[in-house]
Amino acid sequence: MSSHLIAPIVEFIRSIGIPVVFDTIPGETFVPGILINKGGLVVDESRLLYPGDLLHEAGHIAVAFPDDRELMFGDVGAMTEKNKSDGEEMMAIAWSYAACIHLSIDPAVVFHPYGYKGSSDWYLDQYGSGNMLYLPLMQWAGFCYDAANAQKHGVKPFPEMIRWLRA
């Protein structure tokens, strides 16, 4: 495990307003060593397998509507059909990619071979070739801009972000 990445990842997550607490997590969690709890992350370092999972799980919190964050617990992907209909899983993927770029971390840290239902290499290939997956959703939710809109607003395009939490 790349344990040296835990501190900068956690520092970033906290800096954008998502609480992170290190504690023992009793029982199993959807992602080993990480529990989403009321808009924050509980991290059991002894059970954390992949530091990049911290970014993906933080992404779920970040892309949720503010009123929904406090209700989030456990496997947020299975919590409601709303998650699927609002594209939050797709946005969490794009958000975590942008976070890797922001932190100068290899995206393979998030898109490791043991996640994403065997599609990790595909995500790495897509983003690596410039296909900014789920960018329209991210732009619609106010996180970033595509190239044309970024130029109009005088900012850099995705994966540069104009905000890290959904307003």
Side-chain angles (χ1 to χ4, degrees), residues 16-127:
I16 64 165
I18 297 174
V20 180
V21 176
F22 288 91
D23 201 355
T24 301
I25 301 172
E28 295 300 310
T29 54
F30 181 71
V31 175
I34 305 172
L35 176 67
I36 293 178
N37 186 17
K38 298 179 181 175
L41 295 177
V42 179
V43 180
D44 187 337
E45 255 187 293
S46 69
R47 296 174 56 198
L48 180 64
L49 298 179
Y50 307 102
D53 289 346
L54 291 165
L55 287 174
H56 183 76
E57 294 305 290
H60 279 290
I61 296 167
V63 303
F65 288 102
D67 290 345
D68 294 341
R69 286 187 201 123
E70 284 296 314
L71 306 175
M72 298 174 85
F73 183 82
D75 178 6
V76 296
M79 280 178 54
T80 64
E81 285 302 309
K82 182 180 186 305
N83 179 278
K84 291 184 179 105
S85 64
D86 283 346
E88 289 180 5
E89 177 65 32
M90 291 179 279
M91 287 194 292
I93 290 169
W95 187 97
S96 59
Y97 172 75
C100 282
I101 300 306
H102 177 78
L103 293 169
S104 299
I105 294 173
D106 184 342
V109 170
V110 168
F111 300 109
H112 57 79
Y114 303 100
Y116 302 92
K117 300 177 183 173
S119 297
S120 300
D121 286 340
W122 182 79
Y123 283 113
L124 290 169
D125 289 344
Q126 292 301 305
Y127 283 114

